[in-house]
């Protein structure tokens, strides 16, 4: 396997423009002849499908929800970054680029990140034109707020529903092309395998979730925009059905998987409250604009939070990171929370810290706070039965986002020619830690502004044979998919796949979670295959193949998580340094900060599949930093 | 707490379907409604029975995937709350809860509590967007939008497309759903060029899908998990009239 990042030459500011000029074009008359398969209808998938169809390609688009509008992107709350510098507070494309590379703790590719910052402004223009009702100032201009890891206000938002509004914009663009007959939309359809013919991605096998029937779809190129894999931890802030299937199946077909252990644990989520919970709810990072995070100074504190006097509170983020305070980046904030809880200073000695709006309410009034965060406060109250206007919120870190993903080059193409990967499903822009409000930016950048150019170049410069779904590769992929699904149905054990998923989540949280150690990872590498074996001996999946069968869908996802989890542990074990969200306990400063080892680990770890239960092969893409000087991150 | 659940079971679109009663024990008040159903499904799997099919995804009240009519009310007893955000503290020990799918002519049952809501997508495909191709627009701040208009557009655009309004309406009318989209775009300067044609196309599609007429029952507003106001239906009616008068169609 060869990793060629295909980063164009020239100064970073000019790379993308030059590349756009150098890339080959497909003439309008020829675009009609190309069929492109896009899997996913989140921000990345919907924006890509719509834009490719606008250009004249014929697009087939897939999602497993009953409507494209329900993709997980819909639940993003806080906002989307762009380097508009409307507030005139010193922002620029270069600063957004710089903050993102630094925020990612120097484990991303500079050229990709620069391009992301460059197109960020176009995204806002595009979304406003689509009718996205971003927050406005009284004068009618767009409003901004701050997010973690930045000292400027560059985040655009639509109340606490930014993802929803952006996705509705992209969904509108998608709908327009569906109505025009340019996109063939397949909802409630799950991709089960990738079809590779003569070394190129040429199609997919899917399962129609209503009838349970398998179908084959052929195309000239395949685009995966299938989201992240946080539910490998079972409890996460992601939608219940987010999964790794599509990306993992592509990995098994030869696509390299990059940095799988880079997973983000978000600092502000509603804490776990029992063992019968199915998901964790995020409280948007935007709350940290006005909320102050603290724990009692004393171990064993039992008083109600409002009875604890000011001088007995430890506003630990403000204390440790005076220049960023409560807006320190996510990895730093999550670890700090873990640390104070380990010291026994969490709420009632447990796993929770306070996020307090008392001072903000005093300063700004309840109405202002309500206008800013009302829906989040309501959500909090519904779940916890506590009123955050009166009692501080209790929060704790939870798995939230996955920086790792399929390896892609500058053109967003994986190691399988023709297979392109967008959005959270790829590894490209966030290094070892993603800054808030930059996933929405990346998804839309990939879909609206990158793939429309790069896929044309691929199609124009590649000779593609005429193939159809009768090709033996389709038959083989379908047969192996049927085989596996039938095997799941045939186990006939005693436990539901949910029970295995919970167990896996526990292992991942304990050993491949917020902090990792050599022993822990080695233990995980023993426990995961054991659990996988147990699963294949004792899972019970009721119902049949050719019918609507949610238990089978779930089992199929859990089965992949049980293989994929091992890959994460291998990656975490290989990376014998701390960086961003990946903290190896062996490598931390006295203050508990991540200590990188740039000499040895300044690379993208791209893993090649070698068989289930077999150690995958590691390939390294060296990372060079020409523009942002390698330095210890400091948010002090 | 212990509860009695009367759940609608239906094998598929052709099956007649009917209620089956399940007793559930030891339900925790802090569990969400869907977590309570998850537990029941695990039990059914252990007992070798077919688990209950229901739609859900985000479990945060935003994707619009969850549905269910609980004791006759779409999304259950709490105002402005989806089923996935409803918590069991809404009930007390010994309660009986009837659980049915969203019912409407345009929402055929797929299985048990899962229905096909693709008719709503088709109404939006007919014109629920601004026709702007990627790459065209000018700077986002070129056209100011008054804060009030932006806020009202956002009020309308908060719709999650769950279909509770339709399920609650004696006529299975989709007026609130369509009104939300039409108003969102009609309130913004960017939505003006297609304002008339949009409302014509969407209303025509709404009728073609078999959604009923609005006769002002206002149930839709009462059950909307996002609190979308029926003032938007008044606005939709004005938009329809305006479009007729302009003679576009
Ligand atoms: C609660 C929450 C809040 C967030 N808030 C923010 C925020 O404020 N700002 C920010 O920048 N980011 C935020 N994020 C992160 C951001 O929302 C996601 O990273 C981003 O939306 C991912 O978009 P995507 O298009 O890559 O994938 P998704 O939106 O996850 O879409 C995946 C798509 O792929 C489809 N799919 C997946 N697998 C298959 C398969 N096998 N077959 C067929 N279809 C498949 C799904 O149906 C879906 O359509 C938040 C995330 C969460 C969980
Ligand atoms: S599951 Fe998404 S709104 Fe209920």
């Amino acid at each position: 396997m060869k990793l060629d990042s295909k980063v164009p030459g020239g100064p970073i500011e000019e790379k993308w423009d030059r590349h756009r000029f150098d890339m080959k074009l497909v003439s309008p008359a020829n675009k009609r002849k190309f069929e492109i398969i896009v899997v996913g209808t989140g921000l990345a998938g919907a924006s890509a499908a719509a834009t490719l169809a606008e250009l004249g390609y014929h697009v087939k688009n897939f999602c497993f929800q009953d409507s494209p509008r329900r993709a997980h992107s819909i639940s993003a709350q806080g906002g989307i970054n762009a380097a508009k510098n409307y507030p005139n507070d010193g922002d620029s494309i270069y600063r957004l680029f710089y903050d993102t590379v630094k925020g990612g703790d120097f484990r991303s590719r500079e050229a990709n990140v620069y391009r992301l910052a460059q197109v960020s402004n176009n995204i806002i223009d595009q979304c406003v034109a689509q009718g996205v009702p971003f927050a406005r100032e009284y004068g009618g201009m767009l409003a901004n707020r701050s997010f973690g890891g930045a000292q400027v206000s560059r985040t655009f938002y639509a109340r606490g529903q930014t993802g929803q509004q952006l996705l509705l914009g992209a969904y509108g663009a998608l709908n327009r092309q569906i109505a025009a007959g340019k996109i063939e939309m397949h909802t409630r359809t799950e991709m089960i395998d990738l079809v590779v013919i003569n070394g190129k991605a040429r199609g997919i096998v899917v399962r129609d979730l209503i009838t349970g029937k398998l179908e084959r779809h052929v195309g000239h190129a395949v685009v995966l925009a299938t989201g992240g894999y946080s539910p490998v931890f079972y409890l996460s802030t992601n939608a219940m059905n987010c999964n790794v299937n599509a990306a993992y199946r592509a990995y098994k077909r030869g696509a390299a998987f990059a940095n799988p252990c880079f997973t983000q644990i978000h600092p502000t989520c509603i804490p776990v409250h029992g063992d019968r919970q199915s998901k964790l709810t995020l409280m948007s990072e935007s709350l940290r604009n006005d909320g102050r995070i603290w724990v009692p100074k004393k171990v064993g504190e039992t008083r109600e939070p409002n009875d604890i006097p000011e001088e007995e509170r430890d506003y630990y983020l403000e204390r440790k990171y005076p220049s960023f305070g409560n807006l320190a980046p996510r990895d730093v904030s999550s670890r700090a929370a873990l640390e104070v809880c380990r010291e026994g200073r969490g709420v009632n000695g447990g796993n929770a810290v306070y996020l307090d709006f008392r001072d903000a309410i005093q300063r700004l009034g309840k109405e202002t706070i309500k206008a800013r965060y009302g829906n989040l406060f309501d959500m909090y109250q519904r779940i916890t039965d506590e009123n955050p206007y009166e009692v501080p919120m209790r929060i704790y870190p939870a798995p939230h986002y996955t920086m790792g993903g399929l390896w892609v080059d500058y053109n967003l193409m994986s190691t399988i020619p023709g297979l392109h990967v967008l959005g959270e499903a790829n590894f490209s822009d966030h290094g070892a830690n993603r800054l808030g409000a930059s996933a929405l930016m990346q998804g839309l950048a990939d879909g609206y502004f990158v793939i429309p150019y790069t896929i044309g170049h691929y199609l124009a410069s590649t000779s593609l044979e005429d193939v159809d779904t009768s090709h033996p590769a389709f038959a083989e992929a379908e047969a192996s998919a049927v085989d596996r699904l039938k095997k799941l149905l045939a186990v006939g054990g005693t436990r539901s796949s949910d029970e295995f998923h919970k167990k896996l989540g526990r292992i991942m949280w304990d050993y491949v979670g917020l902090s990792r150690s050599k022993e822990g990872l080695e233990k995980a590498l023993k426990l995961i295959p054991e659990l996988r074996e147990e699963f294949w001996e004792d899972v019970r999946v009721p119902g049949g193949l050719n019918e609507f069968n949610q238990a089978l869908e779930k089992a199929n996802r859990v089965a992949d998580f049980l293989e994929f989890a091992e890959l994460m542990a291998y990656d975490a074990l290989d990376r014998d340094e701390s960086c961003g969200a990946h903290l190896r306990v062996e490598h931390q400063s006295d203050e508990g900060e991540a200590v990188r080892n740039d000499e040895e680990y300044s690379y993208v770890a791209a893993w090649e599949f070698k068989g289930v239960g077999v150690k995958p092969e590691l390939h390294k893409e060296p990372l060079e930093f020409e523009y942002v000087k390698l330095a210890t991150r400091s948010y002090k | 707490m212990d509860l009695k659940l009367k759940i609608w079971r239906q094998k598929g679109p052709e099956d007649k379907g009917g209620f089956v009663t399940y007793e559930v024990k030891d339900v925790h008040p802090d569990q969400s409604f869907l977590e309570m159903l998850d537990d029941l499904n695990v039990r059914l799997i252990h007992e070798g029975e077919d688990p209950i099919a229901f739609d859900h995804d985000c479990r945060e009240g935003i994707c619009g995937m969850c549905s269910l009519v609980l004791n006759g009310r779409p999304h259950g007893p709490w105002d402005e709350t989806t089923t996935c955000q409803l918590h069991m503290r809404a009930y007390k020990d010994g309660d009986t809860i009837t659980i049915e799918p969203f019912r409407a002519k345009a929402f055929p049952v797929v299985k048990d509590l899962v229905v096909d809501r693709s008719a709503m997508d088709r109404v939006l495909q007919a014109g629920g967007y601004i026709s702007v191709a990627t790459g065209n627009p000018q700077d986002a701040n070129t056209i100011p939008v008054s804060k009030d208009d932006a806020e009202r557009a956002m009020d309308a655009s908060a719709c999650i497309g769950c279909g509770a309004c339709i399920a609650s309406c004696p006529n299975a009318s989709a007026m609130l759903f369509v009104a939300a989209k039409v108003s969102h775009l009609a309130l913004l300067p960017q939505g003006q060029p297609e304002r008339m044609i949009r409302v014509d196309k969407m209303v025509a599609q709404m009728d073609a899908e078999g959604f009923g007429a609005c006769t002002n029952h206002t149930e839709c507003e009462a059950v909307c998990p996002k609190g979308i106001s029926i003032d938007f239906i008044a606005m939709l009616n004005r938009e329809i009239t305006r479009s007729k008068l302009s003679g576009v169609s």
Side-chain angles (χ1 to χ4, degrees):
Chain A
M1 181 176 287
K2 223 177 83 238
L3 299 174
D4 178 0
S5 68
K6 302 220 175 75
V7 171
I12 201 154
E13 298 83 0
E14 290 171 24
K15 284 182 197 289
W16 179 233
D17 286 346
R18 280 197 196 188
H19 191 56
R20 281 198 295 176
F21 181 73
D22 291 341
M23 279 187 289
K24 291 207 173 117
L25 299 173
V26 181
S27 75
N30 282 340
K31 286 201 183 96
R32 255 179 281 134
K33 298 182 195 152
F34 287 113
E35 182 111 41
I36 301 176
I37 290 172
V38 179
V39 189
T41 58
L43 288 177
S47 59
T51 307
L52 292 170
E54 283 163 11
L55 288 173
Y57 295 108
H58 195 264
V59 176
K60 283 187 177 181
N61 193 195
F62 300 82
C63 70
F64 59 67
Q65 289 89 351
D66 71 334
S67 162
R69 70 181 289 160
R70 307 205 202 285
H72 165 61
S73 293
I74 201 92
S75 55
Q77 302 172 350
I80 176 167
N81 286 333
K84 285 281 193 189
N85 193 29
Y86 287 152
N88 197 26
D89 58 357
D91 203 6
S92 63
I93 288 171
Y94 203 90
R95 187 178 295 281
L96 175 54
F97 157 67
Y98 176 91
D99 286 349
T100 308
V101 172
K102 177 183 167 200
D105 212 3
F106 304 92
R107 289 295 174 263
S108 52
R109 207 186 271 145
E110 277 189 335
N112 285 56
V113 180
Y114 193 87
R115 175 177 63 191
L116 175 66
Q118 260 176 318
V119 302
S120 67
N121 292 339
N122 303 76
I123 296 172
I124 303 303
D125 300 340
Q126 186 65 32
C127 295
V128 165
Q130 288 169 343
V132 171
F134 283 121
R136 301 264 168 179
E137 305 290 356
Y138 280 103
M141 298 295 145
L142 289 157
N144 286 114
R145 61 183 169 203
S146 309
F147 255 59
Q151 288 170 310
V152 294
S153 281
R154 62 160 74 99
T155 306
F156 294 78
Y157 62 100
R159 293 193 190 147
Q161 290 118 284
T162 315
Q164 179 197 27
Q165 295 309 313
L166 296 175
L167 187 59
L168 292 181
Y171 164 72
L174 192 69
N175 278 339
R176 186 163 80 100
Q177 297 305 316
I178 294 172
K182 301 296 297 175
I183 295 180
E184 190 184 300
M185 186 67 227
H186 298 259
T187 57
R188 289 207 200 260
T189 305
E190 188 150 67
M191 170 181 160
I192 302 277
D193 208 347
L194 177 75
V195 178
V196 181
I197 297 175
N198 293 335
K200 300 188 194 85
R202 292 305 303 269
I204 57 174
V205 172
V206 300
R207 182 162 175 269
D208 176 332
L209 299 179
I210 303 249
T211 63
K213 296 248 169 18
L214 276 84
E215 292 168 5
R216 306 169 180 188
H217 294 275
V218 66
H220 294 92
V222 177
V223 177
L224 294 190
T226 47
Y229 50 84
S230 293
V232 69
F233 293 99
Y234 184 69
L235 288 179
S236 80
T237 63
N238 283 201
M240 295 296 288
N241 298 308
C242 289
N243 67 82
V244 77
N245 280 55
Y248 191 72
R249 301 292 163 98
Y251 164 72
K252 281 179 120 173
R253 292 277 173 198
F257 209 109
N259 301 336
C261 82
F262 288 169
T263 53
Q264 177 167 78
I265 314 283
H266 194 295
T268 54
C269 304
I270 302 180
V272 181
H273 61 60
D275 57 357
R276 287 154 80 185
Q277 208 171 344
S278 61
K279 81 157 272 160
L280 296 172
T281 302
L282 175 76
M283 287 286 107
S284 169
E285 179 161 309
S286 59
L287 292 169
R288 294 200 271 147
N289 271 289
D290 289 306
R292 296 178 70 197
I293 293 179
W294 63 276
V295 288
K297 281 192 176 152
K298 189 168 95 201
V299 175
E301 179 62 76
T302 52
R303 283 172 292 180
E304 290 299 315
N306 287 334
D307 297 337
I308 302 176
E310 196 60 20
E311 60 288 356
E312 293 181 44
R313 300 176 172 198
D314 178 13
Y315 294 90
Y316 58 88
L317 287 177
E318 297 171 24
R319 171 172 59 79
K320 290 172 76 173
Y321 310 103
S323 58
F324 282 72
N326 292 297
L327 286 171
R330 291 176 178 176
D331 52 341
V332 172
S333 311
S334 288
R335 273 200 294 276
L338 184 75
E339 196 184 289
V340 293
C341 291
R342 279 201 180 139
E343 288 166 14
R345 296 195 287 134
V347 177
N348 297 323
N351 288 331
V353 301
Y354 292 118
L355 176 62
D356 199 339
F357 291 87
R358 184 195 61 185
D359 297 351
I361 290 171
Q362 261 168 23
R363 192 175 72 242
L364 303 162
K366 187 173 165 185
E367 280 317 304
T368 306
I369 294 300
K370 194 169 181 173
R372 284 187 191 164
Y373 313 110
N375 63 327
L376 295 170
F377 277 44
D378 292 347
M379 184 148 83
Y380 182 85
Q381 183 153 19
R382 238 173 268 134
I383 294 172
T384 62
D385 208 19
E386 282 178 2
N387 180 353
Y389 294 101
E390 285 161 15
V391 189
M393 285 185 178
R394 283 172 295 124
I395 52 157
Y396 196 67
H400 176 61
Y401 180 88
T402 53
M403 284 73 71
L406 291 173
W407 184 91
V408 288
D409 63 17
Y410 189 72
N411 295 324
L412 303 183
M413 191 156 86
S414 71
T415 53
I416 301 177
L419 178 69
H420 298 76
V421 191
L422 320 182
E424 193 172 340
N426 74 22
F427 88 105
S428 75
D429 298 347
H430 308 295
N433 174 55
R434 176 176 71 79
L435 292 182
S438 59
L440 302 183
M441 169 173 73
Q442 183 225 331
L444 291 179
D446 290 358
Y448 283 135
F449 297 110
V450 180
I451 195 70
Y453 289 92
T454 59
I455 213 164
H457 177 65
Y458 170 75
L459 294 170
S461 55
T462 313
S463 71
L464 292 159
E465 314 77 22
D466 273 339
V467 293
D468 61 31
T469 54
S470 62
H471 192 281
F474 274 98
E476 186 273 322
E478 184 178 320
S480 78
V482 170
D483 216 45
R484 188 179 150 93
L485 293 168
K486 283 198 171 150
K487 227 172 104 191
L488 281 169
L489 290 164
V491 178
T494 64
R495 280 178 284 170
S496 71
S497 34
D498 253 337
E499 291 164 275
F500 289 97
H501 195 180
K502 270 189 200 176
K503 268 191 146 175
L504 176 67
R506 195 70 237 179
I507 297 174
M508 298 308 281
W509 179 253
D510 286 347
Y511 303 112
V512 200
L514 248 180
S515 76
R516 299 146 177 194
S517 69
K518 182 164 181 288
E519 294 81 66
L521 291 164
E522 279 166 353
K523 184 146 187 210
L525 282 170
K526 207 170 112 340
L527 293 175
I528 297 163
E530 280 171 14
L531 184 63
R532 186 169 62 230
E533 226 167 274
E534 247 181 75
F535 172 86
W536 283 103
E537 274 161 17
D538 195 34
V539 72
R540 177 180 220 149
V541 187
L545 178 62
N546 292 325
E547 62 185 54
F548 186 82
N549 186 345
Q550 291 174 318
L552 180 60
E553 291 168 34
K554 172 93 214 213
N556 182 43
R557 292 173 189 155
V558 174
D560 276 1
F561 277 137
L562 282 165
E563 293 180 19
F564 174 72
E566 216 175 338
L567 176 63
M568 280 175 68
Y570 275 122
D571 187 42
L573 186 61
D574 167 73
R575 196 167 279 281
D576 194 11
E577 66 161 350
S578 296
C579 58
H582 170 66
L583 185 90
R584 285 284 298 266
V585 293
E586 301 92 337
H587 305 285
Q588 48 185 333
S589 68
D590 295 342
E591 290 159 318
E593 308 289 347
V595 176
R596 288 195 326 261
N597 175 350
D598 294 326
E599 284 284 295
E600 286 176 89
Y601 291 96
S602 191
Y603 60 73
V604 176
W607 297 89
E608 183 182 354
F609 180 69
K610 290 284 164 189
V612 178
V614 179
K615 187 174 179 195
E617 187 180 340
L618 173 63
H619 302 269
K620 299 175 184 176
E621 179 201 334
L623 290 170
E624 272 138 44
F625 294 88
E626 267 184 76
Y627 294 86
V628 186
K629 278 253 152 4
L630 276 165
T632 303
R633 272 191 325 168
S634 170
Y635 291 95
K636 299 202 150 101
Chain B
M1 68 182 99
D2 298 347
L3 301 165
K4 189 187 274 183
L5 307 177
K6 287 171 71 182
I7 303 182
W8 184 261
R9 302 294 319 249
Q10 183 174 341
K11 286 200 166 61
E14 308 307 324
D15 184 31
K16 239 177 80 232
F19 285 103
V20 178
T21 304
Y22 300 89
E23 315 262 344
V24 289
K25 298 208 176 318
D26 195 23
V27 173
H28 199 280
D30 281 343
Q31 279 187 296
S32 73
F33 196 87
L34 297 183
E35 283 164 357
M36 185 271 297
L37 287 184
D38 289 340
D39 280 354
L40 173 59
N41 272 346
V42 168
R43 189 183 99 196
L44 293 178
I45 291 176
H46 287 174
E47 290 167 357
E49 301 218 10
D50 195 20
I52 297 143
F54 61 90
D55 268 329
H56 67 102
D57 200 14
C58 74
R59 297 205 176 182
E60 283 191 5
I62 191 75
C63 74
M65 189 96 184
C66 64
S67 50
L68 309 188
V69 177
L70 308 177
N71 288 340
R73 194 171 192 256
H75 291 307
W78 285 359
D79 284 346
E80 297 193 22
T81 305
T82 53
T83 299
C84 61
Q85 292 270 284
L86 174 66
H87 280 65
M88 293 313 291
R89 68 182 89 89
Y91 299 95
K92 56 182 195 312
D93 190 46
D95 277 356
T96 299
I97 311 171
T98 313
I99 308 177
E100 296 168 84
F102 276 6
R103 293 187 197 276
K105 185 168 151 235
F107 289 170
V109 170
V110 173
K111 185 180 176 185
D112 295 340
L113 303 170
V114 173
V115 297
D116 176 356
R117 286 171 287 189
S118 52
M120 297 171 80
D121 277 331
R122 289 191 293 274
V123 171
L124 294 186
Q125 283 159 17
Y129 41 76
I130 290 169
S131 298
V132 51
T134 305
N136 291 337
Q138 72 282 56
D139 184 85
N141 258 347
T142 312
I143 305 172
V145 180
S146 83
K147 192 174 166 71
D148 282 352
D149 285 344
E151 292 295 323
R152 281 196 67 214
M154 181 62 222
D155 287 342
S157 191
C159 168
I160 59 173
C162 62
C165 47
I166 296 156
S168 72
C169 176
N171 310 332
S173 165
M175 279 293 270
L176 188 60
F177 168 68
V178 174
K181 186 57 47 208
V182 165
S183 306
H184 156 214
L185 297 175
L187 281 161
L188 295 171
Q190 291 82 0
Q192 299 314 309
E194 292 166 292
R195 187 167 174 175
M196 312 286 173
I197 188 105
R198 176 181 307 120
V199 71
D200 280 350
K201 284 185 174 170
M202 289 179 69
V203 169
Q205 189 64 33
M206 175 176 89
D207 294 340
E209 294 289 346
F211 290 112
C214 171
T215 48
N216 296 316
H217 286 270
T218 72
E219 303 281 344
C220 52
E221 182 187 56
V223 302
C224 175
K226 295 296 136 179
I228 307 227
S229 159
I230 48 165
D231 292 352
F232 289 119
I233 295 187
M235 178 159 181
L236 171 58
N237 283 324
R238 285 197 302 276
E239 291 295 308
I240 294 172
T241 312
R242 184 197 285 255
S243 144
K244 286 219 176 88
L245 291 176
S246 77
V248 165
S249 47

